[in-house]
Amino acid sequence: MGKVAAKIKVMPQSPEIDLDDLQEKLEDSLPEGAKINGFERDNVAFGLVALLPTVIVPDDAGGTEAVEERFASVEQVESVEVQNVGRI
């Protein structure tokens, strides 16, 4: 079984959110078998900064769906959107 790398855009609820704290919460929320291979930050507008974690998950049924659901359930997250997916 292979692995998939996905860059996911995570939008915080407001510009006042501590991004380092949110980053830790996202890492803690990962389902078993998934891991984060780095974070990027993207200035969106008006002081709002999106987190762009690259997540490595097993290439099986469901793909990134479990990660997306876990990220969306994290407090202070407004939205979750997959930006890019590729096999590794």
Side-chain angles (χ1 to χ4, degrees), residues 29-65:
S29 74
L30 286 172
E32 190 171 324
K35 69 176 186 170
I36 292 179
N37 191 29
F39 278 91
E40 294 177 26
R41 295 184 182 194
D42 181 29
N43 293 321
V44 179
F46 307 108
L48 189 61
V49 178
L51 289 176
L52 298 166
T54 299
V55 180
I56 309 296
V57 294
D59 185 19
D60 58 4
T64 63
E65 192 173 311

Side-chain angles (χ1 to χ4, degrees), residues 8 10 18-41 51-57 66-77 80:
I8 301 175
V10 179
D18 179 352
L19 294 178
D20 292 328
D21 183 48
L22 182 56
Q23 206 168 293
E24 283 184 35
K25 289 179 181 178
L26 292 174
E27 289 173 345
D28 292 342
S29 74
L30 286 172
E32 190 171 324
K35 69 176 186 170
I36 292 179
N37 191 29
F39 278 91
E40 294 177 26
R41 295 184 182 194
L51 289 176
L52 298 166
T54 299
V55 180
I56 309 296
V57 294
V67 174
E68 293 173 66
E69 289 172 1
R70 295 281 186 96
F71 281 1
S73 70
V74 170
E75 189 178 336
Q76 303 174 332
V77 170
V80 176

